[in-house]
Amino acid sequence: MVLLDRAPVGDGVTSACGAPVSIVRAMGAEASIQLIHDRLVLHTRAGETVWPLPEPFCTFDYRRFCELAFAHAGVEFIQAAVTGRSGSTVRTSRGDFSGTLLVDATGWRAVLAGGPGSPYVNRRWMAFGIESEVECAFEPGLHFYFLPEVRDGYAWAFPTGGIVRFGVLSYLGRSKLGAALAQFMSRFGLRPRSVHGGFLASGLRPAVVDGVFVAGDASGQCLPLTGEGIRTAVLAGFRCGELLRQVLDGELTRDQAAEEYQAFLAKSRRKFRALAWANLALLALPRLAVTTAKILGRPGLLEPLLAHYLDVFTYPSVRPTDETLPVHSGRL
Ligand SMILES: Cc1cc2nc3c(=O)[nH]c(=O)nc-3n(C[C@H](O)[C@H](O)[C@H](O)COP(=O)(O)OP(=O)(O)OC[C@H]3O[C@@H](n4cnc5c(N)ncnc54)[C@H](O)[C@@H]3O)c2cc1C
């Protein structure tokens, strides 16, 4: 098995790296955890609402996460930029590679399944975000802000223990967000340092294209509204990998595996649609964030909704951790 990537393992972080602890553990990357979080804090112009999380989330170190996950994967790594495909031959900057089973996990570009300019890359459901990491003290929790500087999206502050990731996101995919990030950070008396980011691809596209299995943002698996894409990419990746293992072991044909993979994703289609509608509603009525935060802050309403949200793409061996974890206490 070979993993082709244009960059070395762990290079090119785009994300704020907030994910459920159970996901990071399932990837064998627990040692990358920087801080555990037990709550979301929503900030609107009307005030602040705290939503307790039904399972612990964490912020983690991207490079360490990738290195640890890769060490568990048992695959060969070749650094090569993929430029396209002809049947089962993958064209790269290092020459051609022929594969029996191909998986496209190249993020929003979907290089094997679609490629730039292809109708497969659905720009309608493409958000864009940037962030900058700055050393400072911060209140516990994962903080989301619905503020005038990003009317078509939101801002965030994710503490990691000493360092805080400040970011802004446009649901409409606006990529000129530098001024909005600077304005947002100036609320805390801070200025952006080096900035990274990119597109987030939602909207569930076909999961198998011309025999190529597609996982993560390449298949539009990032959740609309929240922009959470790590959990979905990991869970879909696990299911995809498990099915392809069965093909290699002669237990399934490739077509059967494709059907099963599509069925796995189809189970969550309604949840994606509901989030997409909520996303559209928020774009049309930005003040909805204030009302929603307040209403769901009432006891009894939030828990079932969050549990439903966290139930997307379930995978039997990845269960929410039920032990009590030390929160905000730095590394595990
Ligand atoms: C600013 C920002 C903050 C975010 N914060 C969070 C967060 O806190 N929590 C969360 O859950 N989600 C977050 N997301 C979304 C999340 O990062 C993505 O949904 C997730 O990374 C998708 O994973 P992926 O493996 O599909 O794609 P990616 O993480 O984009 O990985 C794609 C890989 O493909 C490689 N690649 C690309 N093109 C080629 C090519 N031509 N040839 C070879 N290799 C190639 C890249 O080098 C990369 O390694 C955020 C996104 C952004 C932009």
Side-chain angles (χ1 to χ4, degrees), residues 1 74 143 170 173 183 194 221 280 307:
M1 263 179 282
H143 297 258
S170 156
Q183 198 186 337
S194 76
Q221 290 167 3
L280 290 174

Side-chain angles (χ1 to χ4, degrees), residues 108-109 116-128 171-175 199-202 205:
W108 67 271
R109 291 177 184 83
S118 143
Y120 182 77
V121 178
N122 181 354
R123 292 201 71 104
R124 202 149 53 100
W125 286 110
M126 210 87 97
F128 189 86
Y171 289 131
L172 299 176
R174 278 190 305 122
S175 54
F199 285 101
L200 300 85
S202 304
R205 303 159 200 168

Side-chain angles (χ1 to χ4, degrees), residues 5-6 14-18 82 105-106 111 158 198 200 216-217 227-230:
D5 201 301
R6 61 182 178 176
T14 54
S15 168
C17 299
V82 175
T106 55
V111 181
F158 284 8
L200 300 85
D217 275 29
E228 192 195 352
I230 298 169

